[in-house]
Amino acid sequence: MLQNMMISLLALLATDSTRQQSDSVRQMARSIVQNVTTTQSIDKLQEVGRQLADWGVVIGLRIISALAIFIVGRYVIKFINGVIKRLLNARNIDPSVKSFLESLINVLLLMLLAVAVVSKLGVETTSFAALLASFGVAVGMALSGNLQNFAGGVLILVFRPYKVGDYISAQGEEGTVIAIQIFHTVMRTYKGTNIYLPNGQMSNSMVKNFSSEPSRMVEWIISIDYGEQVERVEEAISVALKKDIRILPAPEPYIAVKALAESGIDITVRVWVKTEDYTSVLHDGNKNIYDEFNARDINFPYPQLTIHQK
């Protein structure tokens, strides 16, 4: 609009002059308009440049601040986790509850750190909360199994079918429980392998806890040849059992004929020991009985098959 007004004004002033003077005036008008237009464009570009520079400085400061919050927050979370761990250890809380609480608190602190970093970047907390809620619903539907595992972990801590340090059998595996986390129970096998079992399945399936009682029964099934005197065999077994002082006197050891099998006579031997001595007594008992049988010339049976030919 400014360009058109100035051209019209200069054209009116040049109407009384000669045609040559009019052309000269028009050229001067165009030159003035171009200069004015160029000056305005430069001013606008400079203004836009200043705004972009200010915006870049603000964004850069936000990014640096968010990065600083993230770095400092990680150290703060690590410090808080250490303090909580020391407090739980000082109060002699059950190891199962301690491992669960430590894992839960760590996850909550990381979520708070994420909210702080995002809000520092300029995202409104209310919008972020709504987005997070919608995202949580979607993730909750996709990860419903993990929510079930979380609920299973709570049930395990409440009803305590097992705790950290117990030797259990579950999901076809045996081992010692070393941690009960938010979603998983960590079990270490005798081979030194860590197995992560979902808490949801652990709370809804059968679990054998071998450490829940102070004592445990050890059982052997021993086969002898037909023709051996049972009383003589029972005496040999009793002598072998007395060599191990870890076998408890009560209940008394139980020795009886279990079955007349195809190749020999099966003898059942049952004793009671402390739970922590179960494995060692089981293995040592095999050796002691074998040595005692050899010393008394008691024979073990071999698979036999009799064929009658006409």
Side-chain angles (χ1 to χ4, degrees), residues 214-256:
S215 60
R216 187 177 173 187
M217 185 185 71
V218 181
E219 183 179 31
W220 296 274
I221 304 297
I222 303 170
S223 296
I224 60 174
D225 271 343
Y226 280 106
E228 294 286 351
Q229 294 182 358
V230 176
E231 293 79 6
R232 180 166 170 262
V233 173
E234 292 178 348
E235 180 183 358
I237 294 175
S238 298
V239 172
L241 296 178
K242 291 179 181 178
K243 294 179 181 180
D244 197 335
I245 61 174
R246 293 169 296 183
I247 295 177
L248 300 177
E252 294 182 355
Y254 176 81
I255 305 173

Side-chain angles (χ1 to χ4, degrees), residues 110-130:
L110 289 176
M111 291 178 62
L112 291 176
L113 177 60
V115 172
V117 171
V118 171
S119 61
K120 190 61 180 179
L121 288 175
V123 180
E124 295 184 1
T125 307
T126 54
S127 301
F128 179 74

Side-chain angles (χ1 to χ4, degrees), residues 96 99-100 149 152-153 156-157 161-164 166 168 170 175-188 194-203 207:
S96 306
S99 62
F100 186 87
N149 292 334
I156 291 171
L157 292 178
Y162 58 86
K163 60 183 184 298
V164 173
D166 286 352
I168 65 173
T176 303
V177 179
I178 61 175
I180 300 177
Q181 300 178 351
I182 297 179
F183 302 121
H184 297 89
T185 293
V186 185
M187 185 173 66
R188 178 169 296 168
N194 289 346
I195 300 177
Y196 293 81
L197 301 174
N199 287 335
Q201 298 180 10
M202 295 293 287
S203 62
V207 177

Side-chain angles (χ1 to χ4, degrees), residues 1-2 4 13 30 46 103 113 143 162 219 302 309:
M1 182 181 293
L2 179 60
N4 295 331
L13 293 175
R30 291 191 184 94
Q46 291 178 348
S103 180
L113 177 60
L143 303 178
Y162 58 86
E219 183 179 31
Y302 295 95
Q309 184 177 3

